[in-house]
Amino acid sequence: MRNPSAHGRFGVKGGAKAGARTPAKAARTLGPQGEFTMHAPKEPALAPVQSFAELDLPLELVETMASLAVTEPFPIQAATLPNALAGRDVLGRGRTGSGKTLAFGLALLARTAGQQADPKRPLALVLVPTRELAQQVTEALEPYAAALKLRMATVVGGLSIGRQVSSLRTGAEVVVATPGRLSDLVGRRDVHLERVKITVLDEADQMCDMGFMPQVTEILDQVHHAGQRMLFSATLDRNVDQLVRKYLKDPVSHSVDPQAGAVSTMDHHVLHIHAADKVSAATEIAARDNRVLMFLDTKHGVDQFVKHLRAMGVRAEGLHSGKSQPQRTRTLAQFKTGAVSVLVATNVAARGIHIDDLDLVVNVDPPADHKDYLHRGGRTARAGESGRVVTLVTPNQRRDMVRLLADARIRPTITQVRSGEEALTRITGAKAPSGVPLAGSAPTDAKGKPSGSDLAFRGMGTRPGRGKESRKTIEARQQAEARRAARVRRGV
């Protein structure tokens, strides 16, 4: 059986501190879409393994893997685990769902086994960009850590800082953290990083995109100067290159996917649709028999669309940064169990969310760039399963969508559709909603306008007063919003 638990899974300051390493002299060249080329290490890498049995893993890990039916390594695990277990620095590139968590997690736990951390002084650190990914990594590694009698602590914003401080004071060998909250705790002297000898950056490109580079470099400057560093990322752009050159020493590099990150088991569809028909078509897709993850641009759009779907009898919930952490955790749990059949989200769910057997992702609002497209689509076709990514495109969005897919090196199937047509049902499983409002939902008319109200449903993520924007303007606005959100929440 293939590995069912593997899933995917961020201005460098001047003046290197004690933990920084001397940058490599050779400059890295950039590949397509601004990515740099992964060069061979000076010291030859160890050969990939064919099975976990070839690795010198602790018996406790082997038994736990067997109990979880983890028997065959994914390519990124087979290539990086021998070198990570040997203490080499590792640079891994792979799409979400490629098995990165166990690729670094098994090595980190095996090399930490038998050691005990003092209060406030962890021995290993995993940095991730979001709360959801932190919780997911912790859940994936906890069975293995427990088998080795290693204590784990999760340090993220949005949850009780007192409980996190308490777990650090008790002593935790492994800490999984977001940069903002960990930086806050370091400043409060609630945690000290000088004994951290294994550091992992998971989804490094997203941490950079979210404006966490200053916190990440500050943290890396404080961990043990001779420690092991592992960096895993779905894309390797210029910002990630800064981290690689400054903090990784002769890393073993492995790329599990083509540079565009496309997956052979994933089908891509672009549905051309008239703007006036978009709400109806999206509603019919949401009413399908199986679960679906739908992406919109804004929190307002998510809330409005969820309200509309529930009024039409569709079990939908929203996920975005405006929700509290308990709300987000509960919503994800309901979606995973099937209690909620439609998860409507902003890009907060585009990475690090692992949903078993999710076969359809819908971009109701097309993403701003090819990286967002690949990460949204990465929620399906995970761990070798098949999946489908559908994007609804109105006439004025077609040119930008063609450029985006060319950047992603994807050739989609393009179909002109209308709500109620057989083609929409064939591609997405769409069907007419029941129209019976769920408990607590107000009825709406066919256009999504609440009955007895002048407040119409504004549509898929559109904002009042904003006309058509160029792709460059949209990208600049979204980057600015991400930076502002990072400064405000710090620990997201």
Side-chain angles (χ1 to χ4, degrees):
M1 179 177 178
R2 298 285 289 181
N3 182 344
S5 65
H7 51 269
R9 303 302 159 255
F10 273 230
V12 179
K13 295 181 179 179
K17 299 183 181 179
R21 292 178 175 170
T22 305
K25 293 182 179 179
R28 298 188 184 260
T29 57
L30 294 176
Q33 288 87 50
E35 295 195 357
F36 65 84
T37 303
M38 301 170 68
H39 295 295
K42 296 176 182 177
E43 180 183 343
L46 297 176
V49 296
Q50 299 299 316
S51 70
F52 287 118
E54 300 176 46
L55 300 170
D56 187 21
L57 293 171
L59 179 61
E60 296 88 344
L61 283 185
V62 174
E63 292 176 344
T64 304
M65 292 164 66
S67 69
L68 296 173
V70 179
T71 58
E72 185 180 348
F74 279 9
I76 197 167
Q77 298 164 0
T80 60
L81 273 170
N83 298 281
L85 287 166
R88 295 284 301 273
D89 284 6
V90 172
L91 172 60
R93 183 194 187 284
R95 64 174 290 272
T96 53
S98 60
K100 291 180 287 180
T101 302
L102 288 188
F104 65 75
L106 292 178
L108 178 149
L109 295 173
R111 299 194 68 230
T112 309
Q115 303 179 57
Q116 186 171 359
D118 291 331
K120 300 184 182 182
R121 286 173 168 79
L123 306 176
L125 172 65
V126 180
L127 275 181
V128 298
T130 66
R131 291 175 281 186
E132 283 76 17
L133 183 54
Q135 292 176 325
Q136 189 164 287
V137 169
T138 300
E139 291 172 2
L141 299 185
E142 261 182 343
Y144 305 99
L148 294 170
K149 295 181 171 55
L150 294 175
R151 297 164 294 178
M152 295 187 68
T154 306
V155 174
V156 297
L159 296 177
S160 170
I161 193 170
R163 292 182 181 178
Q164 295 171 12
V165 169
S166 177
S167 64
L168 292 170
R169 286 176 179 170
T170 302
E173 285 73 39
V174 181
V175 170
V176 181
T178 51
R181 175 55 63 89
L182 183 60
S183 181
D184 289 342
L185 293 178
V186 168
R188 290 165 41 130
R189 304 185 64 82
D190 285 319
V191 62
H192 305 275
L193 304 178
E194 71 277 1
R195 295 187 186 177
V196 172
K197 291 191 176 181
I198 304 175
T199 305
V200 177
L201 301 185
D202 190 18
E203 299 287 8
D205 54 340
Q206 189 184 14
M207 285 199 280
C208 294
D209 290 345
M210 293 175 68
F212 283 133
M213 181 72 91
Q215 289 93 343
V216 171
T217 56
E218 178 185 3
I219 289 166
L220 291 176
D221 287 339
Q222 296 184 52
V223 301
H224 197 285
H225 69 281
Q228 180 185 23
R229 315 277 171 78
M230 292 184 276
L231 187 152
F232 288 80
S233 186
T235 57
L236 300 176
D237 55 19
R238 303 167 195 264
N239 289 328
V240 177
D241 189 26
Q242 294 182 39
L243 294 174
V244 172
R245 288 191 291 171
K246 184 174 182 181
Y247 294 105
L248 270 65
K249 181 179 180 181
D250 192 29
V252 174
S253 302
H254 180 72
S255 180
V256 72
D257 298 308
Q259 210 157 26
V263 184
S264 60
T265 57
M266 185 186 297
D267 294 329
H268 300 266
H269 291 264
V270 168
L271 304 185
H272 287 172
I273 192 164
H274 293 294
D277 195 32
K278 193 172 184 180
V279 175
S280 297
T283 303
E284 292 180 4
I285 296 173
R288 70 195 295 261
D289 291 329
N290 297 324
R291 293 177 302 171
V292 57
L293 173 58
M294 310 185 86
F295 283 102
L296 276 71
D297 278 346
T298 68
K299 292 181 287 187
H300 173 75
V302 167
D303 291 338
Q304 288 289 91
F305 192 43
V306 167
K307 185 184 297 183
H308 165 70
L309 290 178
R310 293 182 64 83
M312 298 298 291
V314 179
R315 291 177 291 121
E317 291 291 347
L319 186 72
H320 55 66
S321 60
K323 304 282 188 180
S324 69
Q325 188 59 41
Q327 286 177 315
R328 289 158 70 167
T329 301
R330 182 174 62 253
T331 296
L332 279 174
Q334 291 174 332
F335 187 58
K336 289 180 179 180
T337 61
V340 167
S341 59
V342 181
L343 183 62
V344 186
T346 58
N347 279 341
V348 72
R351 301 199 194 202
I353 303 302
H354 176 72
I355 308 293
D356 291 324
D357 303 320
L358 178 65
D359 64 350
L360 181 63
V361 170
V362 178
N363 294 311
V364 183
D365 285 333
D369 58 37
H370 73 284
K371 288 172 61 175
D372 284 345
Y373 181 91
L374 294 172
H375 291 308
R376 288 181 179 189
R379 301 311 97 206
T380 187
R382 298 174 69 83
E385 299 296 328
S386 61
R388 183 167 292 186
V389 181
V390 171
T391 305
L392 304 184
V393 179
T394 57
N396 66 341
Q397 297 169 332
R398 292 181 185 179
R399 181 177 297 178
D400 286 341
M401 196 65 198
V402 168
R403 284 196 291 259
L404 183 152
L405 291 170
D407 288 343
R409 298 183 181 181
I410 288 173
R411 292 185 178 181
T413 301
I414 300 175
T415 310
Q416 181 74 43
V417 299
R418 290 183 180 179
S419 59
E421 288 187 341
E422 185 275 335
L424 185 64
T425 300
R426 172 173 48 82
I427 296 169
T428 68
K431 68 176 187 178
S434 69
V436 180
L438 301 182
S441 301
T444 64
D445 61 21
K447 296 182 178 180
K449 182 176 179 179
S451 299
S453 169
D454 292 330
L455 177 61
F457 173 52
R458 292 187 178 275
M460 307 295 123
T462 56
R463 296 184 176 185
R466 177 175 285 134
K468 181 182 176 183
E469 297 174 318
S470 68
R471 182 174 62 168
K472 189 172 294 185
T473 300
I474 293 173
E475 291 173 354
R477 171 171 55 78
Q478 291 182 339
Q479 290 175 1
E481 289 175 348
R483 287 193 294 269
R484 284 197 297 271
R487 287 196 297 268
V488 171
R489 292 189 293 274
R490 296 295 299 278
V492 172

